[in-house]
Tab-separated table of all heavy atoms in Angstrom:
chain	number	residue	atom	x	y	z
Q	1	MET	N	15.602	-12.542	1.597
Q	1	MET	CA	14.859	-11.778	0.594
Q	1	MET	C	13.398	-11.704	1.027
Q	1	MET	O	12.810	-12.705	1.397
Q	1	MET	CB	14.984	-12.464	-0.760
Q	1	MET	CG	14.295	-11.739	-1.860
Q	1	MET	SD	14.865	-12.409	-3.429
Q	1	MET	CE	13.741	-11.632	-4.499
Q	2	PRO	N	12.817	-10.505	0.981
Q	2	PRO	CA	11.439	-10.361	1.453
Q	2	PRO	C	10.452	-11.118	0.564
Q	2	PRO	O	10.657	-11.274	-0.622
Q	2	PRO	CB	11.177	-8.862	1.375
Q	2	PRO	CG	12.434	-8.212	0.985
Q	2	PRO	CD	13.412	-9.259	0.585
Q	3	VAL	N	9.413	-11.591	1.181
Q	3	VAL	CA	8.340	-12.248	0.448
Q	3	VAL	C	7.492	-11.175	-0.223
Q	3	VAL	O	7.174	-10.165	0.377
Q	3	VAL	CB	7.460	-13.064	1.426
Q	3	VAL	CG1	6.301	-13.695	0.702
Q	3	VAL	CG2	8.298	-14.109	2.130
Q	4	ARG	N	7.157	-11.379	-1.481
Q	4	ARG	CA	6.320	-10.398	-2.179
Q	4	ARG	C	4.895	-10.910	-2.257
Q	4	ARG	O	4.660	-12.053	-2.612
Q	4	ARG	CB	6.849	-10.138	-3.574
Q	4	ARG	CG	8.158	-9.414	-3.517
Q	4	ARG	CD	8.555	-8.940	-4.846
Q	4	ARG	NE	9.823	-8.243	-4.660
Q	4	ARG	CZ	10.400	-7.529	-5.561
Q	4	ARG	NH1	9.860	-7.396	-6.733
Q	4	ARG	NH2	11.544	-6.934	-5.329
Q	5	LEU	N	3.990	-10.049	-1.892
Q	5	LEU	CA	2.580	-10.393	-1.924
Q	5	LEU	C	1.847	-9.415	-2.824
Q	5	LEU	O	2.211	-8.255	-2.913
Q	5	LEU	CB	1.980	-10.320	-0.518
Q	5	LEU	CG	2.600	-11.244	0.515
Q	5	LEU	CD1	2.014	-10.946	1.880
Q	5	LEU	CD2	2.344	-12.682	0.152
Q	6	ILE	N	0.818	-9.882	-3.476
Q	6	ILE	CA	0.013	-8.999	-4.310
Q	6	ILE	C	-1.413	-9.038	-3.786
Q	6	ILE	O	-2.007	-10.097	-3.676
Q	6	ILE	CB	0.050	-9.416	-5.790
Q	6	ILE	CG1	1.477	-9.346	-6.310
Q	6	ILE	CG2	-0.889	-8.559	-6.610
Q	6	ILE	CD1	1.628	-9.761	-7.742
Q	7	PHE	N	-1.906	-7.871	-3.433
Q	7	PHE	CA	-3.276	-7.749	-2.963
Q	7	PHE	C	-4.099	-7.063	-4.048
Q	7	PHE	O	-3.687	-6.083	-4.630
Q	7	PHE	CB	-3.348	-6.894	-1.687
Q	7	PHE	CG	-2.803	-7.600	-0.493
Q	7	PHE	CD1	-1.470	-7.500	-0.174
Q	7	PHE	CD2	-3.629	-8.362	0.292
Q	7	PHE	CE1	-0.952	-8.143	0.926
Q	7	PHE	CE2	-3.132	-9.007	1.402
Q	7	PHE	CZ	-1.793	-8.907	1.719
Q	8	SER	N	-5.272	-7.579	-4.310
Q	8	SER	CA	-6.173	-6.954	-5.261
Q	8	SER	C	-7.266	-6.262	-4.463
Q	8	SER	O	-8.018	-6.902	-3.755
Q	8	SER	CB	-6.783	-8.003	-6.187
Q	8	SER	OG	-7.692	-7.403	-7.059
Q	9	PHE	N	-7.304	-4.968	-4.555
Q	9	PHE	CA	-8.321	-4.208	-3.828
Q	9	PHE	C	-9.528	-4.007	-4.730
Q	9	PHE	O	-9.388	-3.627	-5.878
Q	9	PHE	CB	-7.782	-2.846	-3.408
Q	9	PHE	CG	-6.733	-2.913	-2.336
Q	9	PHE	CD1	-6.075	-1.771	-1.942
Q	9	PHE	CD2	-6.417	-4.096	-1.687
Q	9	PHE	CE1	-5.109	-1.810	-0.949
Q	9	PHE	CE2	-5.467	-4.148	-0.700
Q	9	PHE	CZ	-4.810	-2.999	-0.335
Q	10	ALA	N	-10.697	-4.272	-4.193
Q	10	ALA	CA	-11.908	-4.041	-4.965
Q	10	ALA	C	-12.051	-2.553	-5.269
Q	10	ALA	O	-12.415	-2.155	-6.353
Q	10	ALA	CB	-13.124	-4.551	-4.207
Q	11	CYS	N	-11.749	-1.729	-4.306
Q	11	CYS	CA	-11.787	-0.285	-4.496
Q	11	CYS	C	-10.959	0.355	-3.400
Q	11	CYS	O	-11.082	0.002	-2.245
Q	11	CYS	CB	-13.225	0.230	-4.433
Q	11	CYS	SG	-13.356	1.996	-4.726
Q	12	ALA	N	-10.086	1.263	-3.771
Q	12	ALA	CA	-9.263	1.949	-2.775
Q	12	ALA	C	-9.293	3.441	-3.075
Q	12	ALA	O	-9.365	3.846	-4.215
Q	12	ALA	CB	-7.829	1.428	-2.816
Q	13	ALA	N	-9.258	4.249	-2.043
Q	13	ALA	CA	-9.246	5.701	-2.221
Q	13	ALA	C	-8.147	6.290	-1.357
Q	13	ALA	O	-7.810	5.751	-0.319
Q	13	ALA	CB	-10.594	6.303	-1.837
Q	14	ALA	N	-7.581	7.368	-1.810
Q	14	ALA	CA	-6.530	8.041	-1.051
Q	14	ALA	C	-6.810	9.533	-1.068
Q	14	ALA	O	-7.279	10.074	-2.053
Q	14	ALA	CB	-5.164	7.750	-1.651
Q	15	VAL	N	-6.525	10.179	0.036
Q	15	VAL	CA	-6.674	11.628	0.105
Q	15	VAL	C	-5.283	12.236	-0.003
Q	15	VAL	O	-4.373	11.875	0.723
Q	15	VAL	CB	-7.352	12.064	1.413
Q	15	VAL	CG1	-7.390	13.574	1.512
Q	15	VAL	CG2	-8.751	11.484	1.488
Q	16	VAL	N	-5.143	13.147	-0.944
Q	16	VAL	CA	-3.851	13.796	-1.184
Q	16	VAL	C	-4.061	15.295	-1.046
Q	16	VAL	O	-5.054	15.837	-1.508
Q	16	VAL	CB	-3.336	13.462	-2.604
Q	16	VAL	CG1	-2.057	14.208	-2.895
Q	16	VAL	CG2	-3.130	11.963	-2.739
Q	17	PHE	N	-3.116	15.968	-0.395
Q	17	PHE	CA	-3.230	17.399	-0.243
Q	17	PHE	C	-2.566	18.095	-1.422
Q	17	PHE	O	-1.394	17.875	-1.704
Q	17	PHE	CB	-2.610	17.862	1.075
Q	17	PHE	CG	-3.423	17.448	2.257
Q	17	PHE	CD1	-3.163	16.268	2.923
Q	17	PHE	CD2	-4.486	18.219	2.676
Q	17	PHE	CE1	-3.929	15.855	4.002
Q	17	PHE	CE2	-5.259	17.827	3.763
Q	17	PHE	CZ	-4.978	16.644	4.414
Q	18	ALA	N	-3.331	18.922	-2.098
Q	18	ALA	CA	-2.827	19.684	-3.233
Q	18	ALA	C	-1.993	20.853	-2.724
Q	18	ALA	O	-1.861	21.070	-1.528
Q	18	ALA	CB	-3.992	20.176	-4.077
Q	19	GLN	N	-1.446	21.630	-3.649
Q	19	GLN	CA	-0.601	22.752	-3.263
Q	19	GLN	C	-1.334	23.770	-2.409
Q	19	GLN	O	-0.730	24.442	-1.588
Q	19	GLN	CB	-0.030	23.424	-4.510
Q	19	GLN	CG	0.990	22.553	-5.203
Q	19	GLN	CD	1.526	23.200	-6.461
Q	19	GLN	OE1	0.955	24.153	-6.970
Q	19	GLN	NE2	2.628	22.674	-6.961
Q	20	ASP	N	-2.640	23.877	-2.578
Q	20	ASP	CA	-3.405	24.855	-1.796
Q	20	ASP	C	-3.906	24.262	-0.478
Q	20	ASP	O	-4.732	24.846	0.195
Q	20	ASP	CB	-4.561	25.413	-2.623
Q	20	ASP	CG	-5.512	24.335	-3.112
Q	20	ASP	OD1	-5.286	23.148	-2.815
Q	20	ASP	OD2	-6.483	24.688	-3.791
Q	21	ASP	N	-3.389	23.076	-0.077
Q	21	ASP	CA	-3.719	22.410	1.185
Q	21	ASP	C	-5.184	22.016	1.320
Q	21	ASP	O	-5.650	21.775	2.419
Q	21	ASP	CB	-3.300	23.257	2.386
Q	21	ASP	CG	-1.788	23.385	2.486
Q	21	ASP	OD1	-1.095	22.463	2.012
Q	21	ASP	OD2	-1.321	24.390	3.032
Q	22	LYS	N	-5.908	21.937	0.216
Q	22	LYS	CA	-7.283	21.445	0.260
Q	22	LYS	C	-7.246	19.960	-0.108
Q	22	LYS	O	-6.631	19.586	-1.097
Q	22	LYS	CB	-8.167	22.207	-0.725
Q	22	LYS	CG	-8.379	23.652	-0.337
Q	22	LYS	CD	-9.284	24.343	-1.317
Q	22	LYS	CE	-9.444	25.803	-0.941
Q	22	LYS	NZ	-10.210	26.536	-1.928
Q	23	PRO	N	-7.870	19.104	0.703
Q	23	PRO	CA	-7.836	17.670	0.385
Q	23	PRO	C	-8.593	17.374	-0.906
Q	23	PRO	O	-9.628	17.969	-1.188
Q	23	PRO	CB	-8.506	17.009	1.577
Q	23	PRO	CG	-9.257	18.080	2.269
Q	23	PRO	CD	-8.613	19.374	1.918
Q	24	LYS	N	-8.042	16.462	-1.700
Q	24	LYS	CA	-8.686	16.027	-2.921
Q	24	LYS	C	-8.691	14.510	-2.897
Q	24	LYS	O	-7.723	13.887	-2.487
Q	24	LYS	CB	-7.923	16.523	-4.145
Q	24	LYS	CG	-8.564	16.114	-5.438
Q	24	LYS	CD	-7.858	16.683	-6.640
Q	24	LYS	CE	-8.574	16.233	-7.887
Q	24	LYS	NZ	-7.904	16.623	-9.100
Q	25	GLN	N	-9.791	13.923	-3.300
Q	25	GLN	CA	-9.899	12.478	-3.276
Q	25	GLN	C	-9.561	11.902	-4.634
Q	25	GLN	O	-10.053	12.363	-5.663
Q	25	GLN	CB	-11.308	12.055	-2.871
Q	25	GLN	CG	-11.452	10.578	-2.668
Q	25	GLN	CD	-12.812	10.206	-2.117
Q	25	GLN	OE1	-13.751	10.986	-2.177
Q	25	GLN	NE2	-12.924	9.016	-1.595
Q	26	PHE	N	-8.700	10.881	-4.642
Q	26	PHE	CA	-8.357	10.153	-5.852
Q	26	PHE	C	-8.843	8.722	-5.671
Q	26	PHE	O	-8.736	8.159	-4.585
Q	26	PHE	CB	-6.842	10.141	-6.082
Q	26	PHE	CG	-6.281	11.488	-6.407
Q	26	PHE	CD1	-5.818	12.318	-5.398
Q	26	PHE	CD2	-6.219	11.929	-7.704
Q	26	PHE	CE1	-5.300	13.557	-5.690
Q	26	PHE	CE2	-5.698	13.171	-8.014
Q	26	PHE	CZ	-5.243	13.986	-7.000
Q	27	VAL	N	-9.351	8.125	-6.720
Q	27	VAL	CA	-9.854	6.757	-6.636
Q	27	VAL	C	-8.958	5.857	-7.467
Q	27	VAL	O	-8.713	6.126	-8.637
Q	27	VAL	CB	-11.311	6.671	-7.128
Q	27	VAL	CG1	-11.799	5.229	-7.120
Q	27	VAL	CG2	-12.210	7.549	-6.268
Q	28	VAL	N	-8.455	4.810	-6.844
Q	28	VAL	CA	-7.694	3.784	-7.553
Q	28	VAL	C	-8.718	2.829	-8.149
Q	28	VAL	O	-9.631	2.375	-7.455
Q	28	VAL	CB	-6.742	3.050	-6.582
Q	28	VAL	CG1	-6.003	1.938	-7.298
Q	28	VAL	CG2	-5.771	4.034	-5.951
Q	29	GLU	N	-8.566	2.520	-9.422
Q	29	GLU	CA	-9.555	1.704	-10.129
Q	29	GLU	C	-9.778	0.354	-9.449
Q	29	GLU	O	-8.827	-0.272	-8.976
Q	29	GLU	CB	-9.108	1.483	-11.570
Q	29	GLU	CG	-9.122	2.751	-12.420
Q	29	GLU	CD	-10.503	3.371	-12.539
Q	29	GLU	OE1	-11.495	2.619	-12.714
Q	29	GLU	OE2	-10.596	4.605	-12.444
Q	30	PRO	N	-11.019	-0.086	-9.402
Q	30	PRO	CA	-11.314	-1.410	-8.832
Q	30	PRO	C	-10.515	-2.488	-9.559
Q	30	PRO	O	-10.334	-2.424	-10.766
Q	30	PRO	CB	-12.816	-1.587	-9.087
Q	30	PRO	CG	-13.338	-0.190	-9.222
Q	30	PRO	CD	-12.225	0.601	-9.848
Q	31	GLY	N	-10.027	-3.458	-8.807
Q	31	GLY	CA	-9.255	-4.549	-9.392
Q	31	GLY	C	-7.780	-4.246	-9.556
Q	31	GLY	O	-7.026	-5.087	-10.037
Q	32	THR	N	-7.352	-3.042	-9.146
Q	32	THR	CA	-5.942	-2.682	-9.247
Q	32	THR	C	-5.123	-3.570	-8.321
Q	32	THR	O	-5.453	-3.741	-7.160
Q	32	THR	CB	-5.725	-1.205	-8.851
Q	32	THR	OG1	-6.471	-0.374	-9.748
Q	32	THR	CG2	-4.260	-0.828	-8.890
Q	33	HIS	N	-4.058	-4.152	-8.865
Q	33	HIS	CA	-3.163	-4.971	-8.050
Q	33	HIS	C	-2.124	-4.055	-7.419
Q	33	HIS	O	-1.555	-3.199	-8.092
Q	33	HIS	CB	-2.471	-6.034	-8.906
Q	33	HIS	CG	-3.402	-7.097	-9.360
Q	33	HIS	ND1	-3.445	-8.335	-8.781
Q	33	HIS	CD2	-4.352	-7.110	-10.318
Q	33	HIS	CE1	-4.364	-9.062	-9.372
Q	33	HIS	NE2	-4.934	-8.337	-10.318
Q	34	ILE	N	-1.904	-4.228	-6.134
Q	34	ILE	CA	-0.933	-3.412	-5.408
Q	34	ILE	C	0.134	-4.352	-4.865
Q	34	ILE	O	-0.047	-4.963	-3.807
Q	34	ILE	CB	-1.616	-2.604	-4.291
Q	34	ILE	CG1	-2.721	-1.732	-4.883
Q	34	ILE	CG2	-0.598	-1.771	-3.522
Q	34	ILE	CD1	-3.553	-0.989	-3.878
Q	35	PRO	N	1.260	-4.495	-5.594
Q	35	PRO	CA	2.319	-5.394	-5.125
Q	35	PRO	C	2.973	-4.845	-3.864
Q	35	PRO	O	3.341	-3.682	-3.800
Q	35	PRO	CB	3.328	-5.409	-6.268
Q	35	PRO	CG	2.677	-4.729	-7.414
Q	35	PRO	CD	1.576	-3.898	-6.875
Q	36	LEU	N	3.084	-5.698	-2.853
Q	36	LEU	CA	3.662	-5.305	-1.576
Q	36	LEU	C	4.860	-6.189	-1.254
Q	36	LEU	O	4.891	-7.360	-1.610
Q	36	LEU	CB	2.619	-5.444	-0.460
Q	36	LEU	CG	1.358	-4.609	-0.610
Q	36	LEU	CD1	0.371	-4.958	0.497
Q	36	LEU	CD2	1.683	-3.135	-0.587
Q	37	SER	N	5.824	-5.601	-0.564
Q	37	SER	CA	7.006	-6.312	-0.130
Q	37	SER	C	7.011	-6.338	1.395
Q	37	SER	O	6.795	-5.318	2.043
Q	37	SER	CB	8.255	-5.598	-0.656
Q	37	SER	OG	9.415	-6.249	-0.234
Q	38	LEU	N	7.230	-7.516	1.961
Q	38	LEU	CA	7.252	-7.679	3.412
Q	38	LEU	C	8.537	-7.075	3.966
Q	38	LEU	O	9.630	-7.405	3.524
Q	38	LEU	CB	7.167	-9.165	3.764
Q	38	LEU	CG	7.105	-9.544	5.225
Q	38	LEU	CD1	5.820	-8.997	5.870
Q	38	LEU	CD2	7.157	-11.060	5.379
Q	39	ILE	N	8.412	-6.168	4.928
Q	39	ILE	CA	9.574	-5.486	5.497
Q	39	ILE	C	10.193	-6.307	6.634
Q	39	ILE	O	11.392	-6.518	6.673
Q	39	ILE	CB	9.196	-4.077	6.003
Q	39	ILE	CG1	8.799	-3.206	4.823
Q	39	ILE	CG2	10.330	-3.450	6.785
Q	39	ILE	CD1	8.272	-1.852	5.217
Q	40	ASN	N	9.361	-6.759	7.574
Q	40	ASN	CA	9.900	-7.525	8.702
Q	40	ASN	C	9.740	-9.016	8.444
Q	40	ASN	O	8.892	-9.447	7.693
Q	40	ASN	CB	9.227	-7.121	10.013
Q	40	ASN	CG	7.749	-7.391	10.008
Q	40	ASN	OD1	7.068	-7.184	9.014
Q	40	ASN	ND2	7.228	-7.862	11.117
Q	41	SER	N	10.572	-9.816	9.079
Q	41	SER	CA	10.479	-11.259	8.896
Q	41	SER	C	9.359	-11.828	9.762
Q	41	SER	O	9.016	-11.279	10.805
Q	41	SER	CB	11.805	-11.925	9.228
Q	41	SER	OG	12.140	-11.692	10.571
Q	42	VAL	N	8.802	-12.936	9.310
Q	42	VAL	CA	7.757	-13.624	10.049
Q	42	VAL	C	8.226	-15.067	10.219
Q	42	VAL	O	8.600	-15.721	9.253
Q	42	VAL	CB	6.410	-13.584	9.303
Q	42	VAL	CG1	5.344	-14.343	10.057
Q	42	VAL	CG2	5.986	-12.145	9.066
Q	43	SER	N	8.220	-15.544	11.452
Q	43	SER	CA	8.694	-16.886	11.741
Q	43	SER	C	7.694	-17.600	12.639
Q	43	SER	O	7.196	-17.017	13.600
Q	43	SER	CB	10.050	-16.816	12.445
Q	43	SER	OG	10.390	-18.062	13.014
Q	44	THR	N	7.412	-18.849	12.327
Q	44	THR	CA	6.513	-19.615	13.197
Q	44	THR	C	7.175	-19.927	14.531
Q	44	THR	O	6.509	-20.236	15.505
Q	44	THR	CB	6.089	-20.931	12.520
Q	44	THR	OG1	7.256	-21.671	12.158
Q	44	THR	CG2	5.252	-20.659	11.282
Q	45	LYS	N	8.495	-19.818	14.578
Q	45	LYS	CA	9.234	-20.078	15.812
Q	45	LYS	C	9.049	-18.956	16.832
Q	45	LYS	O	8.918	-19.204	18.029
Q	45	LYS	CB	10.719	-20.239	15.497
Q	45	LYS	CG	11.573	-20.593	16.683
Q	45	LYS	CD	13.018	-20.799	16.271
Q	45	LYS	CE	13.881	-21.142	17.467
Q	45	LYS	NZ	15.282	-21.341	17.082
Q	46	ASN	N	9.030	-17.692	16.362
Q	46	ASN	CA	8.990	-16.549	17.270
Q	46	ASN	C	7.696	-15.753	17.243
Q	46	ASN	O	7.461	-14.946	18.130
Q	46	ASN	CB	10.149	-15.595	16.958
Q	46	ASN	CG	11.495	-16.273	17.110
Q	46	ASN	OD1	11.692	-17.071	18.013
Q	46	ASN	ND2	12.411	-15.967	16.215
Q	47	SER	N	6.879	-15.929	16.236
Q	47	SER	CA	5.675	-15.108	16.079
Q	47	SER	C	4.508	-15.666	16.879
Q	47	SER	O	4.409	-16.870	17.105
Q	47	SER	CB	5.283	-15.019	14.609
Q	47	SER	OG	6.302	-14.410	13.868
Q	48	VAL	N	3.640	-14.762	17.290
Q	48	VAL	CA	2.419	-15.144	17.995
Q	48	VAL	C	1.250	-14.421	17.330
Q	48	VAL	O	1.434	-13.389	16.692
Q	48	VAL	CB	2.486	-14.775	19.500
Q	48	VAL	CG1	3.574	-15.571	20.207
Q	48	VAL	CG2	2.692	-13.302	19.706
Q	49	PRO	N	0.038	-14.957	17.476
Q	49	PRO	CA	-1.115	-14.264	16.903
Q	49	PRO	C	-1.186	-12.827	17.414
Q	49	PRO	O	-0.946	-12.557	18.594
Q	49	PRO	CB	-2.304	-15.082	17.402
Q	49	PRO	CG	-1.744	-16.454	17.624
Q	49	PRO	CD	-0.338	-16.219	18.116
Q	50	GLY	N	-1.467	-11.909	16.521
Q	50	GLY	CA	-1.563	-10.500	16.890
Q	50	GLY	C	-0.304	-9.706	16.592
Q	50	GLY	O	-0.322	-8.480	16.651
Q	51	ASP	N	0.820	-10.405	16.300
Q	51	ASP	CA	2.032	-9.683	15.919
Q	51	ASP	C	1.774	-8.891	14.650
Q	51	ASP	O	1.057	-9.341	13.755
Q	51	ASP	CB	3.200	-10.655	15.660
Q	51	ASP	CG	3.863	-11.140	16.935
Q	51	ASP	OD1	3.471	-10.662	18.019
Q	51	ASP	OD2	4.760	-11.994	16.831
Q	52	ARG	N	2.368	-7.736	14.572
Q	52	ARG	CA	2.190	-6.887	13.399
Q	52	ARG	C	3.175	-7.270	12.308
Q	52	ARG	O	4.281	-7.713	12.586
Q	52	ARG	CB	2.382	-5.424	13.753
Q	52	ARG	CG	1.301	-4.925	14.671
Q	52	ARG	CD	1.516	-3.492	15.032
Q	52	ARG	NE	0.517	-3.090	15.996
Q	52	ARG	CZ	-0.071	-1.919	15.993
Q	52	ARG	NH1	0.264	-1.014	15.121
Q	52	ARG	NH2	-0.986	-1.639	16.890
Q	53	VAL	N	2.724	-7.095	11.076
Q	53	VAL	CA	3.611	-7.261	9.932
Q	53	VAL	C	3.609	-5.945	9.172
Q	53	VAL	O	2.610	-5.218	9.166
Q	53	VAL	CB	3.181	-8.428	9.009
Q	53	VAL	CG1	3.367	-9.765	9.689
Q	53	VAL	CG2	1.746	-8.276	8.560
Q	54	TYR	N	4.721	-5.625	8.569
Q	54	TYR	CA	4.869	-4.341	7.893
Q	54	TYR	C	5.220	-4.577	6.432
Q	54	TYR	O	6.077	-5.398	6.106
Q	54	TYR	CB	5.958	-3.503	8.576
Q	54	TYR	CG	5.593	-3.161	9.998
Q	54	TYR	CD1	5.996	-3.971	11.049
Q	54	TYR	CD2	4.819	-2.045	10.292
Q	54	TYR	CE1	5.645	-3.678	12.355
Q	54	TYR	CE2	4.462	-1.743	11.584
Q	54	TYR	CZ	4.883	-2.566	12.611
Q	54	TYR	OH	4.523	-2.279	13.909
Q	55	PHE	N	4.524	-3.845	5.552
Q	55	PHE	CA	4.715	-3.952	4.116
Q	55	PHE	C	5.039	-2.582	3.539
Q	55	PHE	O	4.728	-1.556	4.136
Q	55	PHE	CB	3.431	-4.453	3.432
Q	55	PHE	CG	3.022	-5.839	3.840
Q	55	PHE	CD1	2.149	-6.043	4.888
Q	55	PHE	CD2	3.491	-6.936	3.150
Q	55	PHE	CE1	1.761	-7.320	5.259
Q	55	PHE	CE2	3.109	-8.217	3.501
Q	55	PHE	CZ	2.237	-8.412	4.557
Q	56	GLU	N	5.626	-2.579	2.353
Q	56	GLU	CA	5.774	-1.349	1.579
Q	56	GLU	C	5.413	-1.679	0.137
Q	56	GLU	O	5.515	-2.839	-0.282
Q	56	GLU	CB	7.196	-0.795	1.670
Q	56	GLU	CG	8.252	-1.674	1.050
Q	56	GLU	CD	9.656	-1.115	1.228
Q	56	GLU	OE1	9.801	0.007	1.737
Q	56	GLU	OE2	10.589	-1.826	0.872
Q	57	THR	N	4.960	-0.683	-0.585
Q	57	THR	CA	4.620	-0.928	-1.983
Q	57	THR	C	5.893	-1.136	-2.778
Q	57	THR	O	6.916	-0.514	-2.520
Q	57	THR	CB	3.812	0.247	-2.585
Q	57	THR	OG1	4.551	1.450	-2.438
Q	57	THR	CG2	2.457	0.385	-1.915
Q	58	VAL	N	5.831	-2.046	-3.745
Q	58	VAL	CA	6.990	-2.341	-4.584
Q	58	VAL	C	7.257	-1.169	-5.523
Q	58	VAL	O	8.394	-0.836	-5.802
Q	58	VAL	CB	6.764	-3.645	-5.371
Q	58	VAL	CG1	7.880	-3.912	-6.361
Q	58	VAL	CG2	6.627	-4.819	-4.407
Q	59	PHE	N	6.181	-0.532	-6.001
Q	59	PHE	CA	6.304	0.666	-6.821
Q	59	PHE	C	5.098	1.553	-6.549
Q	59	PHE	O	4.093	1.087	-6.037
Q	59	PHE	CB	6.435	0.327	-8.312
Q	59	PHE	CG	5.322	-0.529	-8.855
Q	59	PHE	CD1	4.139	0.028	-9.291
Q	59	PHE	CD2	5.460	-1.900	-8.932
Q	59	PHE	CE1	3.115	-0.754	-9.792
Q	59	PHE	CE2	4.452	-2.698	-9.424
Q	59	PHE	CZ	3.271	-2.119	-9.853
Q	60	PRO	N	5.207	2.839	-6.858
Q	60	PRO	CA	4.101	3.770	-6.571
Q	60	PRO	C	2.827	3.420	-7.352
Q	60	PRO	O	2.894	2.944	-8.477
Q	60	PRO	CB	4.633	5.131	-7.021
Q	60	PRO	CG	6.100	4.959	-7.149
Q	60	PRO	CD	6.350	3.515	-7.446
Q	61	ILE	N	1.687	3.672	-6.734
Q	61	ILE	CA	0.386	3.475	-7.379
Q	61	ILE	C	-0.134	4.850	-7.773
Q	61	ILE	O	-0.194	5.760	-6.949
Q	61	ILE	CB	-0.609	2.770	-6.431
Q	61	ILE	CG1	-0.022	1.446	-5.915
Q	61	ILE	CG2	-1.954	2.570	-7.107
Q	61	ILE	CD1	0.323	0.428	-6.976
Q	62	LEU	N	-0.507	4.991	-9.047
Q	62	LEU	CA	-0.951	6.282	-9.580
Q	62	LEU	C	-2.456	6.313	-9.790
Q	62	LEU	O	-3.074	5.297	-10.103
Q	62	LEU	CB	-0.266	6.566	-10.922
Q	62	LEU	CG	1.261	6.549	-10.949
Q	62	LEU	CD1	1.754	6.744	-12.375
Q	62	LEU	CD2	1.819	7.613	-10.042
Q	63	ALA	N	-3.035	7.486	-9.627
Q	63	ALA	CA	-4.431	7.768	-9.972
Q	63	ALA	C	-4.466	9.185	-10.505
Q	63	ALA	O	-3.944	10.102	-9.865
Q	63	ALA	CB	-5.338	7.620	-8.767
Q	64	ASP	N	-5.020	9.365	-11.668
Q	64	ASP	CA	-5.082	10.682	-12.310
Q	64	ASP	C	-3.684	11.302	-12.443
Q	64	ASP	O	-3.490	12.504	-12.268
Q	64	ASP	CB	-5.994	11.652	-11.555
Q	64	ASP	CG	-7.453	11.197	-11.582
Q	64	ASP	OD1	-7.856	10.536	-12.563
Q	64	ASP	OD2	-8.171	11.516	-10.631
Q	65	GLY	N	-2.673	10.453	-12.700
Q	65	GLY	CA	-1.319	10.946	-12.892
Q	65	GLY	C	-0.594	11.367	-11.622
Q	65	GLY	O	0.480	11.930	-11.674
Q	66	LYS	N	-1.175	11.089	-10.475
Q	66	LYS	CA	-0.573	11.464	-9.182
Q	66	LYS	C	-0.261	10.186	-8.394
Q	66	LYS	O	-0.990	9.219	-8.452
Q	66	LYS	CB	-1.531	12.313	-8.344
Q	66	LYS	CG	-2.051	13.546	-9.029
Q	66	LYS	CD	-1.083	14.674	-8.877
Q	66	LYS	CE	-1.736	15.929	-9.444
Q	66	LYS	NZ	-0.800	16.933	-9.767
Q	67	ILE	N	0.837	10.208	-7.637
Q	67	ILE	CA	1.148	9.101	-6.751
Q	67	ILE	C	0.214	9.180	-5.548
Q	67	ILE	O	0.213	10.183	-4.836
Q	67	ILE	CB	2.614	9.145	-6.281
Q	67	ILE	CG1	3.553	8.997	-7.466
Q	67	ILE	CG2	2.874	8.043	-5.247
Q	67	ILE	CD1	5.030	9.164	-7.120
Q	68	VAL	N	-0.592	8.136	-5.337
Q	68	VAL	CA	-1.560	8.158	-4.240
Q	68	VAL	C	-1.277	7.090	-3.185
Q	68	VAL	O	-1.762	7.173	-2.067
Q	68	VAL	CB	-3.009	8.038	-4.762
Q	68	VAL	CG1	-3.378	9.249	-5.599
Q	68	VAL	CG2	-3.214	6.751	-5.528
Q	69	ILE	N	-0.525	6.069	-3.535
Q	69	ILE	CA	-0.146	5.046	-2.567
Q	69	ILE	C	1.337	4.801	-2.705
Q	69	ILE	O	1.839	4.593	-3.781
Q	69	ILE	CB	-0.908	3.720	-2.778
Q	69	ILE	CG1	-2.409	3.931	-2.640
Q	69	ILE	CG2	-0.444	2.669	-1.782
Q	69	ILE	CD1	-3.242	2.716	-2.927
């Protein structure tokens, strides 16, 4: 079972393309918790410093009623 981590971002922004293909900036409120799920396993037996870890959001993060993360 993947390890779940929660990161609290002081401030996060995402650029989303609207239907007219013009970028629009959405701001996720400061202090928003973004629950993440670890995709790959991490082991002290096989891992070395610099190995990448991959996460996915547990559920979508909304700003102004739009999914931004």
Side-chain angles (χ1 to χ4, degrees):
M1 182 166 170
V3 177
R4 291 191 179 190
L5 300 174
I6 299 179
F7 288 90
S8 177
F9 290 174
C11 182
V15 175
V16 176
F17 289 93
Q19 290 178 345
D20 58 0
D21 293 332
K22 292 182 182 175
K24 181 176 181 185
Q25 187 174 17
F26 292 91
V27 176
V28 177
E29 292 299 318
T32 299
H33 290 257
I34 303 174
L36 300 175
S37 179
L38 183 64
I39 294 174
N40 62 320
S41 61
V42 178
S43 166
T44 56
K45 183 177 179 180
N46 300 322
S47 298
V48 295
D51 280 356
R52 293 179 185 219
V53 292
Y54 297 92
F55 296 92
E56 65 183 354
T57 57
V58 174
F59 55 85
I61 305 300
L62 304 176
D64 295 330
K66 305 275 187 200
I67 297 174
V68 295
I69 300 176

